[in-house]
Amino acid sequence: MSGPREVHDAVVVGAGPNGLAAAVTLARAGLGVLVLEGQPTLGGGARTLDLGLAPGVLHDLCSAVHPLALASPFLREFDLQARGVGLVLPEVSFAQPLAGRPAGLAYRDLDRTVAELGADGAAWRRLLGPLVEAPDAVIALALGDHRSVPPEVLNAPGLRAAVAFGAGILEQGTRAWDLRFDGDVAPALLMGVAAHAISPLPSLASAGTALMLGSLAHSVGWPIPVGGSQAITDALVADLRAHGGELRTGTPVTTWRQLPRARAYLFDTSPRTLESVWGERMRPSVRAALERFRFGNAAAKVDYVLSGPVPWADPRIAAAGTVHLGGTRAEMASAEAEVAAGRHAERPMSLVSDPTVADPAREVGGLRPLWTYAHVPADSDADITETMTAHIERYAPGFRDVVVTSRCIPASQMWRHNASYTGGDIASGAITMWRMFARPRVAWSVYDGGVPGVYLCSQSTAPGPGVHGMSGWHAARQALKERFGIGRAPELAPSE
């Protein structure tokens, strides 16, 4: 590791999307930045690797579809597309198969979605329409620091969206969720998105997730990066290096004594890692709060190599970038209750994505990757390959016939690929409405690491999980102001 005389303006520990966002922001402000990453590759939750399952077939190790890539204020200003990152928008943002009947489809086109939902179409429009009309307001509410009133809501459309957002959360996050819809398709379609929160259903946090991501599906869309999630990471890394930043992989940090001297340290890690590194120097109240930080339920992942597309019973699903498996709203609520009770569901809430839907070049030699995960209890060591295969087969008869090979990462092993995924919790902390405002602890500044000059900038802080870079951006701007006297954040747009 670094020698005792090495000095930097700022050291960032962890090269996930938030760590890289923080590093880019600091480097663009003219600071000398060093990034230390424990893994041999950069990207954290946004990596694409050859898993050795089939020659040339690459898999997204963590995230695969990026609803926030075009919506996040940080990534929007950074402008991935201007940097050569292809972000392809599938015709169908997400789909919800239902056994023995047509699937629910959320098209980018709200009108088409409404038309195909039949009798519940108008109710879908009333719920999501005001949010689709003012996506910037919804994003500002969801991805802000949760401490200030975003200016985006201080106009008529933004205020209407804010009111609709709050009312929708109260409705869909409680047992009132059954009052809006008459059929099964629309509520199942919405609940598939809500289950991204990996929490009991209904809940206020899952409802907020459903409304935010659901409305984005009809506005900016749910893009898939050409070449995989690594394209996002590579763009951030290239900009960081262009502004003098240094990166070192295979460099885990276990104590503050390993760190080179710096005026600021930003940790894109779990609160548990921050506490283990700095605990002896940390304010006692902060240390105690971080020790109480609660992780949530988990995900286990199965990567497949297929010889052809998934043979969905409803062929319209083939146009979807993301497919939520779980059946009806009642079936999904039951499955999530099982997981919350520490039991494996027979048909767990699952996500499936075939990237070749948007990026045909991901198919190599007639073989294509399929990305899947299922919700399981924390620390589960179960190999869920057969469970997942049977689950997909329920909605795609003949799926087994196109499976060439597969690999499971049990929840208990997820930390080996990303140390922040404690127990397999890919959200890096339980998703509750309280924790959205007290993440990771009750404090005016959720990024304060409890030691002067130390900040937590991971998805364990506000605004929460997702590949958006906002936690890193918020924390870096705070560090710039407090440690370097720089009150104006640097511009992020690519140079001409």
Side-chain angles (χ1 to χ4, degrees):
M1 170 126 1
S2 54
R5 295 183 180 179
E6 186 179 12
V7 178
H8 300 269
D9 291 320
V11 173
V12 177
V13 177
N18 282 306
L20 292 174
V24 163
T25 303
L26 296 168
R28 279 179 162 261
L31 303 183
V33 180
L34 170 66
V35 178
L36 303 176
E37 168 57 49
Q39 292 288 324
T41 55
L42 301 167
R47 284 180 288 166
T48 307
L49 301 174
D50 185 344
L51 302 181
L53 297 180
V57 177
L58 303 180
H59 288 80
D60 291 303
L61 189 59
C62 300
S63 56
V65 182
H66 295 271
L68 299 174
L70 291 172
S72 158
F74 170 79
L75 290 176
R76 191 165 54 202
E77 185 175 335
F78 187 74
D79 199 346
L80 289 167
Q81 292 171 303
R83 298 169 185 274
V85 178
L87 296 171
V88 182
L89 295 168
E91 178 187 7
V92 178
S93 294
F94 59 90
Q96 184 79 27
L98 295 167
R101 68 183 108 168
L105 302 179
Y107 295 93
R108 281 211 56 216
D109 186 332
L110 176 61
D111 291 338
R112 185 175 178 184
T113 304
V114 166
E116 292 198 7
L117 287 175
D120 277 332
W124 184 274
R125 186 190 298 277
R126 286 194 296 272
L127 180 64
L128 294 178
L131 311 184
V132 175
E133 292 173 2
D136 288 347
V138 176
I139 285 297
L141 289 168
L143 296 188
D145 61 6
H146 297 169
R147 296 294 183 275
S148 56
V149 177
E152 289 85 353
V153 304
L154 301 179
N155 56 54
L159 183 59
R160 285 196 297 271
V163 171
F165 193 40
I169 288 174
L170 291 175
E171 173 195 299
Q172 293 299 312
T174 65
R175 288 298 173 184
W177 67 352
D178 284 328
L179 300 179
R180 177 175 294 271
F181 300 113
D182 294 323
D184 287 339
V185 178
L189 187 62
L190 186 65
M191 194 51 47
V193 188
H196 281 244
I198 318 184
S199 69
L201 301 171
S203 72
L204 297 177
S206 65
T209 299
L211 295 176
M212 189 265 285
L213 294 180
S215 64
L216 291 183
H218 300 307
S219 55
V220 299
W222 286 19
I224 294 177
V226 173
S229 299
Q230 192 70 43
I232 296 174
T233 293
D234 290 347
L236 290 165
V237 168
D239 188 83
L240 175 59
R241 285 179 168 147
H243 289 85
E246 182 183 353
L247 300 105
R248 299 177 190 168
T249 58
T251 311
V253 175
T254 58
T255 172
W256 61 269
R257 294 177 177 85
Q258 294 174 287
L259 295 167
R261 296 178 183 178
R263 293 171 64 186
Y265 299 92
L266 289 86
F267 276 64
D268 182 12
T269 69
S270 73
R272 183 172 297 177
T273 297
L274 180 70
E275 190 276 330
S276 69
V277 171
W278 289 100
E280 65 185 80
R281 296 182 58 182
M282 195 173 281
R283 295 198 305 271
S285 61
V286 177
R287 186 174 191 179
L290 296 183
E291 288 174 343
R292 293 192 300 270
F293 183 78
R294 184 167 64 89
F295 291 92
N297 289 309
K301 189 166 184 285
V302 181
D303 290 297
Y304 292 92
V305 175
L306 307 183
S307 61
V310 178
W312 299 109
D314 185 336
R316 299 175 303 153
I317 298 173
T322 300
V323 181
H324 300 126
L325 300 185
T328 65
R329 171 178 275 182
E331 289 175 315
M332 286 183 281
S334 176
E336 293 293 77
E338 287 289 292
V339 170
R343 298 185 293 267
H344 287 84
E346 179 182 358
R347 291 170 176 162
M349 182 61 214
S350 306
L351 268 70
V352 176
S353 179
D354 178 353
T356 61
V357 169
D359 183 8
R362 293 289 293 275
E363 181 177 304
V364 179
L367 302 178
R368 63 175 68 196
L370 186 72
W371 178 99
T372 75
Y373 79 64
H375 296 175
V376 297
D379 282 316
S380 166
D381 60 2
D383 183 329
I384 65 162
T385 303
E386 175 54 31
T387 296
M388 180 63 77
T389 301
H391 203 16
I392 299 174
E393 181 89 13
R394 183 187 186 201
Y395 305 104
F399 173 67
R400 293 179 188 274
D401 297 334
V402 299
V403 174
V404 175
T405 189
S406 63
R407 186 194 77 163
C408 176
I409 305 176
S412 63
Q413 300 302 309
M414 292 288 277
W415 68 272
R416 295 184 181 278
H417 305 279
N418 191 325
S420 294
Y421 294 166
T422 302
D425 176 6
I426 58 176
S428 301
I431 303 297
T432 67
M433 187 56 73
W434 167 248
R435 278 299 177 190
M436 289 296 95
F437 292 91
R439 186 178 176 92
R441 61 191 178 89
V442 179
W444 181 251
S445 170
V446 295
Y447 313 106
D448 175 9
V451 176
V454 176
Y455 302 86
L456 185 64
C457 68
S458 69
Q459 64 176 5
S460 295
T461 66
V467 177
H468 46 60
M470 294 299 293
S471 300
W473 196 30
H474 290 315
R477 288 188 293 174
Q478 183 174 328
L480 284 173
K481 183 176 181 180
E482 293 178 350
R483 304 299 293 178
F484 302 97
I486 301 174
R488 182 176 180 179
E491 294 183 357
L492 300 172
S495 302
E496 295 294 336

